[in-house]
Amino acid sequence: MTDYSYYCNTRIEMGMGKSGQLPELLQSLQIGSSILLVSDPGVVRAGLSAPIQNALEASGYRVVLFYSLSQNPRDTECLAGARMFAEQGM
């Protein structure tokens, strides 16, 4: 087996009501004002992405919702999301 190391500086927030804290968390990260919110059709139909999008927009973020994904997204689907984000002038 080949030796390797992997580092992924990822912050994970979990718990009841955490999505409501997303605008403040993003502001603390100073990432800018444009967000690509990635979801899937089932989550959108269930109405689970709308409160997040609404909270972000109410906090001044410009949000583009991308949900043209399958259960196991292909690279082409991910690239389509990136292209959509760029086309929106984000």
Side-chain angles (χ1 to χ4, degrees), residues 47-64:
L48 299 174
S49 59
I52 295 170
Q53 183 172 356
N54 293 339
L56 290 170
E57 290 174 341
S59 295
Y61 288 96
R62 183 170 173 222
V63 180
V64 171

Side-chain angles (χ1 to χ4, degrees), residues 6-34:
Y6 176 78
Y7 173 77
C8 184
N9 186 17
T10 302
R11 180 176 176 173
I12 299 173
E13 297 279 343
M14 295 174 58
M16 295 295 291
K18 285 293 184 177
S19 63
Q21 299 171 4
L22 187 56
E24 292 79 22
L25 174 62
L26 293 174
Q27 188 174 17
S28 74
L29 296 174
Q30 299 178 336
I31 63 162
S33 61
S34 297

